[in-house]
């Protein structure tokens, strides 16, 4: 019996996480707000493995932080802003524990996004 792509990704948690992240990323890059929101909601509805998968994949930390802040701003939803803040903290940890050179600029951008989301435009601009 043959299985389609959807069948396989639903049976393999890491494949589901990867597929949903890629869908989120593509929708974000092409500024498709409705799609990014739907993909992100689906991503965060995956098993609790999701956040642990983000810890080991720093691009996920960065982009899901940006996505969360964007959704939070557009929907005025504090849950999404809090998710963005959580990813910002993870990126700050990476900047301290791993490679300052590699993660500091991403940390600044997530910090600026957090300030922008809080309507602190002057503070966001300084970062």
């Amino acid at each position: 019996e043959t299985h389609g792509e959807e069948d396989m990704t639903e049976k393999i948690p890491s494949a589901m996480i990867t597929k949903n992240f890629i869908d989120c990323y593509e929708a974000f890059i092409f500024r498709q707000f409705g799609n990014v929101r739907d993909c992100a909601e689906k991503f965060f509805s995956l098993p609790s493995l999701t956040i642990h998968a983000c810890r080991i994949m720093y691009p996920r930390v960065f982009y899901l932080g940006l996505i969360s802040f964007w959704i939070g701003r557009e929907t005025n939803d504090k849950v999404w802003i809090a998710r963005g803040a959580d990813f910002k903290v993870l990126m700050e940890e990476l900047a301290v524990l791993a490679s300052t050179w590699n993660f500091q600029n991403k940390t600044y951008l997530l910090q600026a996004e957090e300030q922008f989301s809080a309507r602190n435009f002057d503070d966001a601009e300084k970062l």
Side-chain angles (χ1 to χ4, degrees), residues 9 13-21 39-51:
T9 58
S14 61
M16 286 190 318
I17 290 167
T18 301
K19 181 187 180 311
N20 282 287
F21 173 74
C39 291
E41 287 173 353
K42 187 172 183 179
F43 183 85
F44 284 104
S45 72
L46 294 173
S48 62
L49 174 65
T50 304
I51 194 67

Side-chain angles (χ1 to χ4, degrees), residues 71-87:
I71 293 171
R73 278 195 310 276
E74 294 294 319
T75 62
N76 203 25
D77 187 337
K78 292 182 186 339
V79 170
W80 284 103
I81 300 294
R83 283 181 178 149
D86 290 343
F87 286 115

Side-chain angles (χ1 to χ4, degrees), residues 58 61-62 87-95 103 107 110:
Y58 70 87
V61 172
F62 179 61
F87 286 115
K88 178 202 66 155
V89 169
L90 288 174
M91 188 59 67
E92 289 169 342
E93 290 173 0
L94 286 168
F103 298 113
T107 298
L110 289 175

